[in-house]
Amino acid sequence: MRRFLLYLVITTGALIMLLPLVWMVSTSLKPPEEVFTYPIRWIPENIRWMNFVDVFTVIPLARYFFNSILVSTTVMVGNLFFCTLAGLSLAKYNYPGKDIIFVLVLGTMMIPVQMIFLPLFLVVKVLGLVNTYGALILPNIINPMGVFLMRQMIMDVPQDLMDSARIDGASEWTIYWKMILPIIKPPMAALAIFIFVWTWNAFLWPMISTSSKELFTLPVGLSAFQDMYGTQYNLLMAGMVVSTAPIVTLFLFLQKQFIKGLTFSGLKG
Amino acid sequence: MAARDTFLGTDQTRKPRLLFWELPNRYSKFGMLIILPTIIYFLVFRIGPIIYSLIASFSDWNLVEKMRFIGGANYIRAVTDKVFLASLQRSLTYSIVVVTCTLTISIVLAVLFDQTLSFRNWYRAAYFLPTVISWVVISIIWKTMYNPSFGLVSYIADLLHITPIPILTSTQRALPGIMVIGIWQAIGFYMVIFLAALQAIDPNLYEAAVIDGASPVKTFWNITLPLLRPTLLFAIVMSTIETLQVFAQVYVMTRGGPANSTLVAVYYIYRTAFYLQDMGYASALAIILLIVIMCLSLLYLKFFKTETYYSR
């Protein structure tokens, strides 16, 4: 009996969690006149697949998609490269000022980009980056949490391993590339997914730093679509399905790494 | 030699303080080289902006004309600006409600999921899914679901024989409506964080509790919750920071309306900066918000760190 109640509770909960997403998919398949039918028809009478074609012609969705892929991938690769380098430096080398740098990283970890959007905009403006891919990419190219995470992971790599490689004549770069990186692959995968999703979904910063349509990422493009053609719900929802599908697929395939990434950030924080 | 070192209290493993030109070997030079991009990044995109905004907050500036230094006038204006103070209070209310509800629900879910269940991964994925979807998409979905004429919420109200009520157009219900979405989106994330913490708890503790005849509720209060303390602290600080930044939902769904009832602090700052082009004042507001967030985080840290720390 207790078992049954437990399943009842978590199943109801799961349905509530999924209902809005079912709503999105359902609406995305409806012809315009069926969007407003009442009571709600979850499976449309006439499924209209053309919504997914039309939305690409009503708005430059393909362009937004390309921008999102380009920005998210670049930011992800940049983070992997710079965060592992910084992590290695902070974990295994000694030089003056190292402690100050580490405190700096920890201190800014508490301040998310969203919170400093205004000063960041001013700096990006001074650098002449407004309305360029640079504005979307550079301010996010290193994540303090990533630096911290990578440092923690590299700390666990035995010093002897590195020293013996040095005796064998390996250069510092070889040690980083051929020894450190392979050892910390799992946390790197977690970081990669984390950063990718985070960049893919970002809204406030991309909206502030770009005003030309050619640079819109998916969230900014969808928000603009909603403002301009707010009543074409079926197309709007089709656009949203298109922009959400990659992330959801990524999540379903990489669930383990995904959750590992979260718990890394949670437990080490 | 070793004995003398011990006698003098010098520890051989202690890292010597070195000046720049006294670098011992090429390894450290490599270390300095690879940290360089990070240093530049932090100076340009984190420290620089904060200093810049501090300067701007003491000036009158609309991005077009030159910055004009006006002392603390912006700050004085801020503490007497009723609209700003109300928006700050709204952000705090939003934060407190959403953080409390989210963490309570996610702890309960984590405890439920800590048991062996069939289809456990599927359930977990279902609860977690909203977390990976962008706020803009979530906001648009919920906005249509809240639509009084064809939305899901009215439909459910109809089924339950309640008169359908408008949500986003009501000054009383718009903010609670946005809170619901905040909770819905975040519970999966914190559930996973708590689940990880629960699985690290030593099972022997529970066995001992069973032998002592403790009820499940008692076990939860006396064993589980105290052991979750560090995770709970992390979750509270993180979700507070996150909820105080609520923006996309407000931007997409209500633009602060109706009658300012959903005007939260970040949206007010955004509006002051980019609609009114009042950069100096907006900078001052942003700094005040940043200080509020930091004070809250420190307060939580202090409040939670006082008692015994159970560690694994």
Side-chain angles (χ1 to χ4, degrees), chain B residues 209-223:
Chain B
V210 171
I211 291 167
D212 289 347
S215 69
V217 176
K218 237 181 164 167
T219 316
F220 176 78
W221 282 109
N222 294 331
I223 298 177

Side-chain angles (χ1 to χ4, degrees), chain B:
Chain B
M1 189 69 188
R4 203 193 59 166
D5 275 349
T6 324
F7 178 70
L8 291 174
T10 45
D11 180 359
Q12 292 239 311
T13 57
R14 200 175 63 99
K15 292 165 189 165
R17 278 193 73 85
L18 288 169
L19 294 170
F20 187 78
W21 52 87
E22 293 176 333
L23 290 171
N25 53 38
R26 67 197 176 92
Y27 305 144
S28 293
K29 276 184 196 143
F30 182 76
M32 290 176 77
L33 188 74
I34 60 178
I35 196 78
L36 213 60
T38 308
I39 295 175
I40 295 170
Y41 170 83
F42 275 96
L43 287 180
V44 175
F45 293 114
R46 299 275 166 153
I47 312 295
I50 292 172
I51 294 170
Y52 198 169
S53 136
L54 261 175
I55 297 168
S57 77
F58 289 105
S59 66
D60 185 19
W61 186 31
N62 61 6
L63 280 181
V64 187
E65 288 158 58
K66 255 189 132 176
M67 239 188 233
R68 197 162 54 84
F69 188 73
I70 54 164
N74 284 328
Y75 288 93
I76 294 166
R77 190 177 149 198
V79 292
T80 52
D81 181 347
K82 286 211 180 76
V83 183
F84 172 64
L85 294 179
S87 77
L88 199 58
Q89 198 197 351
R90 223 167 274 127
S91 288
L92 287 171
T93 312
Y94 176 90
S95 176
I96 290 166
V97 173
V98 173
V99 169
T100 313
C101 295
T102 306
L103 298 190
T104 312
I105 298 172
S106 57
I107 287 182
V108 171
L109 281 174
V111 170
L112 292 182
F113 278 105
D114 200 30
Q115 317 182 28
T116 36
L117 292 170
S118 13
F119 309 112
R120 191 168 121 151
N121 283 341
W122 286 101
Y123 277 116
R124 207 162 66 165
Y127 281 92
F128 193 79
L129 211 51
T131 300
V132 301
I133 299 172
S134 88
W135 274 118
V136 169
V137 169
I138 287 174
S139 304
I140 298 175
I141 298 176
W142 280 84
K143 193 181 171 189
T144 59
M145 292 208 315
Y146 278 151
N147 190 305
S149 61
F150 64 93
L152 180 67
V153 176
S154 297
Y155 178 64
I156 290 172
D158 245 7
L159 287 182
L160 299 170
H161 300 287
I162 306 169
T163 333
I165 40 170
I167 293 168
L168 294 175
T169 48
S170 146
T171 50
Q172 274 135 50
R173 288 181 290 261
L175 194 63
I178 294 178
M179 287 173 178
V180 169
I181 305 167
I183 298 163
W184 173 81
Q185 193 263 359
I187 49 180
F189 179 88
Y190 291 102
M191 177 193 79
V192 169
I193 300 271
F194 286 124
L195 208 50
L198 282 179
Q199 281 164 359
I201 293 177
D202 184 359
N204 289 330
L205 286 172
Y206 288 113
E207 273 168 39
V210 171
I211 291 167
D212 289 347
S215 69
V217 176
K218 237 181 164 167
T219 316
F220 176 78
W221 282 109
N222 294 331
I223 298 177
T224 313
L225 214 53
L227 286 170
L228 280 182
R229 205 187 183 86
T231 315
L232 192 62
L233 168 65
F234 166 81
I236 289 180
V237 172
M238 204 161 154
S239 55
T240 301
I241 294 176
E242 214 149 276
T243 45
L244 284 177
Q245 294 177 63
V246 54
F247 175 80
Q249 300 96 299
V250 170
Y251 181 87
V252 171
M253 295 200 284
T254 60
R255 298 278 151 104
N260 283 356
S261 63
T262 59
L263 186 73
V264 289
V266 176
Y267 190 77
Y268 186 66
I269 297 171
Y270 167 82
R271 213 175 64 175
T272 310
F274 296 103
Y275 282 91
L276 308 176
Q277 303 268 308
D278 199 345
M279 284 291 172
Y281 187 46
S283 297
L285 297 182
I287 284 171
I288 292 173
L289 183 59
L290 203 61
I291 292 170
V292 168
I293 288 183
M294 289 195 155
C295 287
L296 268 181
S297 305
L298 289 177
L299 203 74
Y300 286 140
L301 284 170
K302 214 176 156 70
F303 179 71
F304 269 83
K305 270 232 168 109
T306 44
E307 277 177 47
T308 334
Y309 213 87
Y310 301 84
S311 58
R312 274 172 269 144

